[in-house]
Amino acid sequence: MQIKLSAEPFNPWQILHDYETEQRQLAGQYGATAVFVGTMRDFNQGDDVVVMQLDHYPGMTEKQLTRIVEQAQQQWAILDGLLLHRVGKIEPNDTLVIVAVWSAHRGDAFDASRFIMEALKKQAPFWKQETLSSGEVRWVSSNSDGYLKPAHNAK
Amino acid sequence: MQIKLSAEPFNPWQILHDYETEQRQLAGQYGATAVFVGTMRDFNQGDDVVVMQLDHYPGMTEKQLTRIVEQAQQQWAILDGLLLHRVGKIEPNDTLVIVAVWSAHRGDAFDASRFIMEALKKQAPFWKQETLSSGEVRWVSSNSDGYLKPAHNAK
Amino acid sequence: MSIKVRYFASLKERLGHAETELELSAPLSAGQIWQRLNPAIPLPEGTLTAINMEYASLDSLLTDGDELAFFPPVTGG
Amino acid sequence: MSIKVRYFASLKERLGHAETELELSAPLSAGQIWQRLNPAIPLPEGTLTAINMEYASLDSLLTDGDELAFFPPVTGG
């Protein structure tokens, strides 16, 4: 189980490849890996975004992330998990977050990875500040429900 | 959008890295990538499995997979998708399937990737035949609901 | 009227062959074709049926050149 | 009784500083501490409160050595 913040850019597929390779004891045990990768878009709420600053609360952020992963472990049959979140100055197309869950069966991995992502968005103390192409600098005021189309809000 | 069967082993993270790198037009557009990787375990239903044969119905399998992905595209705001499924002789720890969905927002990617996996398990004509360490060869009779613990069946 | 009939996985093993060509003088349904080809073997419960690579019911009538397939529940992924 | 008070993100910018040390002679709640430190600024709606890096309510009483934090809704991931 690995929970980390990174001030440096990373390639999510390389991270996942390396992590899985290191966890030799998992080989043959897991049948399911569910992964979510969050990536910085170059637009938000109709505006072009050129760069982003991702602030956090050192200490509390790690504490909350650890709690969220532990809650997932209590609820689902998880073999291993990886949670890596970027902080600092971020450019479009940089990876913001990786959540990966390994389990024997798919339902546990699917549920747990989504639970971790949704809880992270609600509870982990991170704050995004966007610099727009117009030069305007603004704090993102809240996270969306995660769907492009409003129709999905009702779900 | 790529839908393929592979008779050769593949590294899922390498595939995802290469695919994403090739889709240059996606850069900056997607904020969410949801991935499911299915892997052959070395045990099933309490028995050690040493090798597996994955049969399919050439033509129909591709047709059904394409339909499933199209249904996902109709229901969710998807930017791109990748579906790669192994066929033939498979060894423990080999990747069986990758489902990846790229979207602007996380809800669409999460929902669509899970929909594709569940539909694939129910509808795509693949059949697993396991060879156990005892030498017994058996067809897997049906897919499970995807959870280790029966308690989750009620969900 | 010529129909190609295919079997997969455990059904193929049980019947001992993967496919059969069938000449019909009148239209038959998928279920009737199974009975004609395998009179001693009731269609195993849970068997799926496809016509021209689309799922179909046992009542579906076959027409010339169709490909009919019978197979057990699918277990991919 | 010594309390460390921290502000993050837009709240830090608005108040113009990131943290303050506060000496108290009697226990105060998180909400009372905000009022004492920022008498002219009502606590912005949606502000979250943490004591010793755990979410807490505005009614929670602070004790010596506690770290109190105020911050806007979180926007990670």
Side-chain angles (χ1 to χ4, degrees), chain C residues 56-74:
Chain C
S57 79
L58 286 173
D59 299 332
S60 307
L61 290 178
L62 280 285
T63 59
D64 188 41
D66 279 353
E67 176 169 304
L68 172 63
F70 295 104
F71 47 79
V74 302

Side-chain angles (χ1 to χ4, degrees), chain D residues 2 4 28 37-38 42-43 45 56-57 61 63 66 70-71 73:
Chain D
S2 175
K4 184 180 193 175
L28 288 185
L37 291 172
N38 307 290
L43 189 69
E45 206 176 334
S57 79
L61 290 178
T63 60
D66 279 352
F70 295 102
F71 47 81

